[in-house]
Amino acid sequence: MNLYSDKESVSVIPLGLDEIKHYMTDLLEIEGLIHQRMGPRYSVEQWNEENFCRRLTAKHECSWGILGSDSNCVRAFLIGSRPSPDLQHIHRIATHPDFTRRGYSSMLLEQALTQWMLHESTRMITAIVNVQNLASIFMFRKSGFEILKGEALNHYLTEKSAVHPSISHDGFEDVHGIRYVVLFRRKADEFYR
């Protein structure tokens, strides 16, 4: 798939395990630069090679990258998984700082939504975002995601998490004292509302 942004051609590619290994240097560079720039607003944990290669259910079917036509380097990536047949989850979405403001993260999110909506069993797509990462929250909200609240949030976190965070009405706080929101997008009228 070729997309155009700022007069340049880019390609959205699937990031299966072989592609992740092939582009590992690029993925680690982006991860390191974003973590250095944003710190815990991005994530409390900087991913390493093991994290990128770790096998999560359908992870290597639910991840994409953006390549520029002028180089064979990944400029942005989205890493997702399918923790259960009805749920898709976005673990990471990041753009190299030299290529921000070109809509790459939005392109990847739309690619993920398009592909995931084709799976009949998928009922909900989620992402957990630091409340201070306003750009990310805005991007998800613009793509139709809502903030999970109240009893539905409590149910989601209790069912999906081994760690029991401190839960409020519209988010939760982790063991590091960092607040997050769970963003979700449903197909049709499902339980999580």
Side-chain angles (χ1 to χ4, degrees):
M1 169 197 291
N2 285 328
L3 305 168
Y4 295 90
S5 179
D6 295 334
K7 300 180 185 175
E8 86 180 308
S9 176
V10 295
S11 298
V12 176
I13 62 162
L15 289 177
L17 183 56
D18 290 340
E19 291 82 11
I20 285 176
K21 288 179 179 178
H22 178 78
Y23 294 110
M24 185 60 69
T25 302
D26 298 341
L27 298 172
L28 291 172
E29 178 183 4
I30 294 168
E31 178 75 6
L33 290 169
I34 296 299
H35 198 271
Q36 180 182 37
R37 181 175 159 205
M38 295 183 67
R41 283 183 298 143
Y42 175 65
S43 175
V44 293
E45 176 189 24
Q46 182 175 333
W47 274 19
N48 58 30
E49 188 170 335
E50 180 182 334
N51 298 109
F52 279 104
C53 291
R54 182 175 295 137
R55 292 193 185 276
L56 298 172
T57 306
K59 176 181 175 182
H60 300 116
E61 301 165 18
C62 300
S63 301
W64 292 273
I66 288 189
L67 293 181
S69 62
D70 63 336
S71 69
N72 201 20
C73 295
V74 172
R75 294 183 177 180
F77 65 82
L78 180 149
I79 305 294
S81 72
R82 190 177 304 118
S84 65
D86 64 337
L87 177 68
Q88 306 285 340
H89 183 72
I90 297 170
H91 297 275
R92 289 280 202 269
I93 186 166
T95 301
H96 191 289
D98 291 346
F99 300 103
T100 58
R101 303 254 183 245
R102 298 179 192 204
Y104 292 167
S105 290
S106 294
M107 288 179 202
L108 290 169
L109 183 56
E110 287 308 311
Q111 175 74 18
L113 289 170
T114 299
Q115 293 297 317
W116 291 344
M117 290 301 179
L118 295 175
H119 285 82
E120 280 190 35
S121 64
T122 301
R123 297 288 174 240
M124 185 166 68
I125 299 170
T126 60
I128 296 175
V129 179
N130 184 312
V131 296
Q132 294 180 349
N133 192 344
L134 299 178
S136 186
I137 292 170
F138 178 78
M139 177 189 67
F140 280 104
R141 297 294 303 264
K142 189 175 172 183
S143 291
F145 283 72
E146 300 174 49
I147 295 175
L148 198 58
K149 296 180 180 180
E151 189 57 39
L153 172 67
N154 191 21
H155 175 78
Y156 173 85
L157 291 172
T158 302
E159 185 177 286
K160 305 297 179 202
S161 179
V163 177
H164 298 288
S166 172
I167 302 171
S168 65
H169 173 71
D170 61 351
F172 68 95
E173 188 172 298
D174 71 7
V175 296
H176 304 288
I178 298 172
R179 290 198 33 78
Y180 298 89
V181 292
V182 176
L183 291 143
F184 75 102
R185 182 167 166 182
R186 296 178 292 142
K187 274 185 181 177
D189 194 27
E190 298 296 329
F191 169 78
Y192 296 102
R193 187 82 204 192

